[in-house]
Each structure stands twice: as C-alpha cells, then as structure tokens.
Amino acid sequence: MKKPVLLCVDDDPQVLSAIDRDLRQEFRRDYRVLRASSGREALATIQELKEREEPLALILADQRMPDLEGVEVLTQARQLYPDAKRVLLTAYADTEAAIRAINSARLDHYLMKPWDPPQQLLYPTLHDLLRAWEMTYKPPFRGVRLIGFQWSPRSHDLKDFLAGYLIGYQWLDFETDSEAQALLAQKGLTARDLPVVVLEDGTALANPTATEVATRIGLVVQASQELYDVVVIGAGPAGLASAVYGASEGLKTLVIERQAPGGQAGTSSRIENYLGFPTGLSGSELAHRAWSQAVRLGAELLAPQEVVDLCVQDGYKVLTLSDGSKVQTRAVVLTTGVSYRTLAAPGMDRLSGVGVYYGAARTEARTCQEQDVYIVGGGNSAGQAAMYLATYARRVYIVIRSANLAASMSAYLIEQIGQTPNIELLPFTEVAEVCGDDHLEEVILSRQGQLERRPARALFVFIGAKPSTEWVCNTIVCDAKGFVLTGRDLVTDPRYATSWKHPRREPYLLETCVPGVFAAGDSRAGAMARVASAVGEGSMAIKFVHQYLDE
C-alpha cells in the first residue's frame, strides 16, 4: 500500500517550504508529504489523490490565501476525504475565525504561526491527530473489484470466472453498496454498463467478456508457436496431468481450457480422499497447484479459449479455436471432461444464474448467509457442496430421489453430513418447480406425490454428467451417450470396427479412432469418475503420445 499523504497548503513560498521541511523531517518514514501553493491547487491535488484512490491522512492549510481561504479549502476537502484530519494554520489575528471554523467547518485543530520549535508546538498535536486517524482508517481494497447486481447472470458468470482462476476480487452490489455507486460514478459509468470490472490500476471494463478480463489480468489467450508436439484440450485433473508429464518429458505442450482450470473437480469445496493430502484440499487449490507445476515445467496454457473443430491435414491435427485462429499439432489429448446435466423443471432456465446454479457453491456461498438453500444430487460433489454451504447457510437441504446416499456418495462424506446439524436429507423427493420474479424465491418439492412449497435463497444442481464432446463427435467415434471410445473398444465392437484406419497396428489403450488423438478422464467411455483415476489416465496418455510420435 502507498504511504498515506500529508498535504500542506500555503501561498507564502517561505512558509510553505518551512512547513514542508518540518513535516518531512518528522513523518517521512510513515507518510508522504505533498505541498500546494494555493487553495485551488490543493483541491486539484486532493481530487487527483481521490481518483488514484490514495489515502489522505491530514491537510494543513493556511487561512489567509488570496484565491481561496484555508477554511474553504478544508471544508471542500471534507467532501472527498471525510475522515482526513483538517488543521488550520493561522496568525494570531485570525484565531477567532479559526475557533468559529472548528464548529462550522468541523476542523480538528488550528495551529498558530510561528510553530518554532516544532518539537513542542507542531509535532505533538499532529502525532495525536494522526494516531486518531490511524485507529479508524480502513485501507482501500487493492485488487480487482466487480460491481454488479446480485441477481444478474452476467455478474454471476464473472464471479465464477474470477474465482475459478483464484483471482482475489471484491464484490460490490450496486443496489445496496454506496461505495459501488460512488466508484461507478467516479469512472463515468452508469447502471446500464454493469457488470463492471475495475482492475488494480483503476481501469474500468464495462460489461466485459471473460476473454477481455483474462487478457487484462495476464492470462494467455493466443498460442505462441506454429506447431506443437501435443495439445491437451481441457485443464481438468486429466488434462493438467498430461500437461505436467508432457512438458517434463520435453514435448512442446499446449493446454487449451474454455472455462477455468480444474474442470468439474475444480468446483469441489473439499476433496478428502485424494492420495497424499490427509487433511484434504479444495478442487481449485489442487487445480492451481497442477497449473503452476505445468507452467514451471514449460507447458503453455491458453485460457479462456475454446476449441470448436478438429481435423487432420497431412498427418497433422489442426484445431480451430472459437476466435477463428488455428493451432497445429502432431498429437492431441482430449480431456474435455463432463458438465452437470440440466434439471428439467419449470422455471429452471429462467432463473439460472439468479438463484439457480449448476455447481458454483463456492462462488455464491457467502450470499447465502443465514438463508435456506437446496442441493439437488447425491454424488460426492453434492456432498462436498453441502458441507461447505453449511458453514454459511441457516439450513441446507439435500434433495435426492432415492432412499439414501449410500449408493452414490463416499462413506466419509455421508458420515460428515450425518454429524452436521443444519444439513437435512430429503429422500424420495424431486424439484417440481422453481419460482420467483427476477430471482429464486421458492422451490416446489414433490415428496412421494405430494407438492410442498418452500422459501429458498439458492438451488445448487449436481445431477449426473454429460461429456463435453459435442464439437468432436463428427470426427471422433463416441458411444450413444457421447463418451469417447478408445483402445480395444474400437476393434472388438463390430459397430465401430471399421472406424480404425491405421493399417499396421491396433489403437493404443487411450487412442481414439483417429491415430494420434487420445482421450483421458471423465469424457472417455469406461472411465472411472474419480480425480485420482483422471490424473492416472492423463499421465498414461503421454506415454502413448511418445509411442505415436516415435512411429
């Protein structure tokens, strides 16, 4: 943080130099001393400090100045810095005006000229005032700030994006936060421009895309090389494992992620069964450890960036990105993962992002303080979300269609949920409808045929999974559910036997129907939906990439 400012104002050059000298001598270690030779110059300086969001601790202004008297300077300064200490510097003849100004202009003190020696007549008073200022001063937030409406899908998407990349940010609700309104006005923007991202350097981005924000905070969205040895599509656990092993073994490696590192696992608030972490860790923490490791070893990562097409030209794989650019590579590892299925109930689409969320428990948990929330799903992700939300919400309800969680959730999570008093399981229950005007207000539950209407602050959906392979199914053979077929499945099943075209060998274990294109993780047919198995497959894929490149 920049040092707080002490501003001295006097139109007499000799007096101004003297007060400036004395202030620097005593306070320069902890404060920055600025000077102004007129009242108007002082107000311009104060305005500039405000725009740069620098702290102003004290203003010391001479009373008799030709353009603007000291009392008027201090009065106007109070509008911009109401907490800064205001001291009037006055001659003996002006003491009456100074005393009146203590009441009328709310001055904190006045000092007489001359103040020699300063050790007795200046420093003690200023030290007392500055100690009082320090006790109440709240340093401004230094980092990214997001201004928006709480019930706005665009605001939610940007919160989710920033959280996914572990970008520390301050959320400011425009409707309830006066600081948000003042900051927006300061940037010359209105409510029509929301959501607005204010960067650390003060730059304001009105209604930006995730790519625009990514570019400004230092993420890479364009490939730097013309040709790569291997491109990994997706930065979940499988993709990051491929990136770590590919880069560490000398392959020119590129990872392309369309959302945030970690995939579905990255949204997990607590993973407690991953090898080597006895106290558990969050999915985002695991993802960013792996992300940092891959970058340190030499992998290049593009995010957020999306691959929309894959084709083969002269043995090279050509990937087309959503912005129209192309990337060439010798081999590809598909680790596109899965996404949560949508819940088919009236009102779900209309209220998505404004009380209804797919995943995103960590992003919205703090807004659920002392409110009732509902979770749909009985898998580990749902259980981890319930435990995390229970820290904030008044009550967490887990809605499942079956009798209990035993068939779909790990035993350790079931035990933790059972020991958490504000989590309640609702078996044999479905969400029949969600209701609300501009945001979720109620859920209608169907419990063994009986409808029940309940107030709700948020509904988090963690049901099933569908592979994120729509864009590649025309090139790569997938099963009826969209999962990518690999290895022996391509040659033993007569339905797909003709899809494998390599004349001299069978496909490697994780190889798709296109030689040199491999699949790993949850989007692969037959994969186990566990973080550890995804990491294992991602690592194995690089072994087969080496074998393919050595042919």
Side-chain angles (χ1 to χ4, degrees):
M1 187 187 75
K2 293 182 178 179
K3 290 181 180 180
V5 170
L6 307 181
L7 177 63
C8 51
V9 191
D10 201 303
D11 65 320
D12 186 322
Q14 291 184 335
V15 175
L16 184 61
S17 295
I19 190 67
D20 178 75
R21 179 199 63 219
D22 289 344
L23 290 179
R24 290 178 187 276
Q25 182 175 324
E26 182 70 7
F27 299 104
R28 63 184 176 188
R29 193 182 78 170
D30 300 316
Y31 295 89
R32 189 158 59 102
V33 179
L34 300 181
R35 56 197 287 181
S37 59
S38 70
R40 299 202 182 280
E41 182 185 342
L43 292 176
T45 300
I46 293 169
Q47 179 65 45
E48 186 178 346
L49 290 173
K50 189 66 177 180
E51 291 173 358
R52 297 205 305 256
E53 298 178 38
E54 295 191 38
L56 177 62
L58 182 141
I59 311 165
L60 181 62
D62 181 45
Q63 167 61 6
R64 290 197 177 186
M65 293 186 289
D67 61 338
L68 212 59
E69 289 189 339
V71 170
E72 183 60 26
V73 171
L74 297 176
T75 301
Q76 293 188 37
R78 186 171 178 271
Q79 298 174 11
L80 294 175
Y81 283 93
D83 298 323
K85 297 302 178 182
R86 296 174 300 282
V87 180
L88 191 67
L89 192 61
T90 180
Y92 179 79
D94 296 321
T95 53
E96 272 192 46
I99 293 170
R100 287 196 303 271
I102 289 178
N103 295 323
S104 62
R106 297 187 184 180
L107 300 189
D108 294 290
H109 211 281
Y110 72 91
L111 291 173
M112 300 285 294
K113 296 181 183 179
W115 57 86
D116 190 50
Q119 291 78 7
Q120 297 177 17
L121 301 179
L122 179 66
Y123 298 152
T125 298
L126 297 189
H127 274 298
D128 287 344
L129 291 172
L130 290 173
R131 273 194 294 268
W133 177 83
E134 289 169 359
M135 289 176 63
T136 58
Y137 172 64
K138 181 181 177 182
F141 178 80
R142 295 294 177 186
V144 176
R145 284 169 291 181
L146 173 59
I147 308 171
F149 296 108
Q150 176 59 46
W151 304 117
S152 161
R154 285 286 298 122
S155 294
H156 168 71
D157 289 344
L158 287 171
K159 283 194 278 186
D160 221 23
F161 167 76
L162 293 169
Y165 286 91
L166 293 186
I167 304 297
Y169 72 95
Q170 182 184 40
W171 163 247
L172 299 173
D173 188 341
F174 179 77
E175 292 181 301
T176 61
D177 195 320
S178 58
E179 181 184 350
Q181 298 162 12
L183 182 57
L184 201 67
Q186 181 186 319
K187 301 299 180 183
L189 301 173
T190 69
R192 294 182 179 181
D193 299 305
L194 296 176
V196 170
V197 174
V198 182
L199 304 177
E200 189 169 358
D201 64 2
T203 303
L205 307 178
N207 195 19
T209 64
T211 302
E212 289 171 336
V213 177
T215 303
R216 299 302 297 267
I217 63 177
L219 297 178
V220 179
V221 296
Q222 294 293 328
S224 65
Q225 306 290 326
E226 293 184 359
L227 177 66
Y228 293 87
D229 294 320
V230 59
V231 171
V232 182
I233 304 175
L240 292 171
S242 293
V244 167
Y245 279 88
S248 67
E249 294 173 15
L251 297 178
K252 191 181 293 183
T253 305
L254 175 69
V255 183
I256 304 175
E257 169 56 44
R258 67 176 180 174
Q259 292 178 327
Q264 199 175 77
T267 66
S268 295
S269 55
R270 202 75 185 162
I271 302 173
E272 297 192 53
N273 59 354
Y274 188 66
L275 183 67
F277 293 88
T279 59
L281 76 167
S282 70
S284 58
E285 183 182 0
L286 176 63
H288 279 268
R289 285 174 183 243
W291 180 285
S292 299
Q293 187 178 17
V295 171
R296 182 179 65 82
L297 292 168
E300 183 181 336
L301 291 96
L302 302 188
Q305 186 61 273
E306 185 176 5
V307 181
V308 296
D309 187 47
L310 181 156
C311 65
V312 180
Q313 295 179 1
D314 300 325
Y316 294 104
K317 286 71 182 170
V318 180
L319 305 173
T320 303
L321 307 185
S322 56
D323 62 2
S325 61
K326 296 182 183 296
V327 175
Q328 290 192 70
T329 178
R330 299 167 66 195
V332 171
V333 180
L334 296 172
T335 58
T336 52
V338 295
S339 57
Y340 293 113
R341 294 188 181 278
T342 56
L343 185 63
M348 290 294 294
D349 290 342
R350 183 173 61 85
L351 297 177
S352 180
V354 288
V356 172
Y357 307 106
Y358 290 88
R362 287 177 62 85
T363 304
E364 298 295 338
R366 293 184 184 275
T367 67
C368 300
Q369 198 82 33
E370 294 302 315
Q371 302 285 328
D372 291 347
V373 301
Y374 288 79
I375 292 175
V376 182
N380 278 2
S381 294
Q384 290 157 354
M387 291 300 300
Y388 186 75
L389 288 165
T391 306
Y392 302 95
R394 176 173 54 205
R395 197 149 192 85
V396 179
Y397 297 94
I398 301 178
V399 178
I400 58 172
R401 291 183 294 182
S402 56
N404 55 55
L405 299 168
S408 57
M409 190 178 293
S410 296
Y412 79 91
L413 268 175
I414 297 175
E415 182 179 353
Q416 289 179 1
I417 288 171
Q419 294 172 353
T420 306
N422 64 332
I423 298 180
E424 182 178 342
L425 185 66
L426 302 178
F428 304 114
T429 305
E430 297 182 55
V431 174
E433 187 178 353
V434 293
C435 307
D437 293 330
D438 60 347
H439 66 277
L440 177 69
E441 298 176 38
E442 294 179 319
V443 295
I444 300 177
L445 303 179
S446 174
R447 307 190 69 185
Q448 298 179 315
Q450 298 295 316
L451 295 181
E452 183 177 341
R453 185 182 293 266
R454 295 186 174 199
R457 169 61 180 73
L459 175 71
F460 298 91
V461 181
F462 298 86
I463 55 170
K466 60 177 182 178
S468 303
T469 56
E470 304 90 347
W471 62 277
V472 80
C473 282
N474 291 332
T475 306
I476 304 295
V477 173
C478 302
D479 67 12
K481 295 181 178 179
F483 292 91
V484 178
L485 292 166
T486 58
R488 294 287 297 168
D489 289 345
L490 292 168
V491 294
T492 57
D493 191 321
R495 292 174 297 175
Y496 312 116
T498 59
S499 65
W500 177 251
K501 303 298 184 182
H502 199 294
R504 297 186 299 276
R505 64 169 176 84
E506 290 188 349
Y508 296 123
L509 181 62
L510 299 179
E511 198 166 19
T512 69
C513 66
V514 177
V517 177
F518 303 85
D522 291 358
S523 61
R524 189 182 70 83
M528 181 184 295
R530 289 290 184 270
V531 174
S533 63
V535 170
E537 287 192 8
S539 307
M540 287 170 55
I542 296 302
K543 172 182 181 295
F544 299 125
V545 168
H546 277 296
Q547 292 180 354
Y548 169 76
L549 295 178
D550 290 341
E551 290 178 355

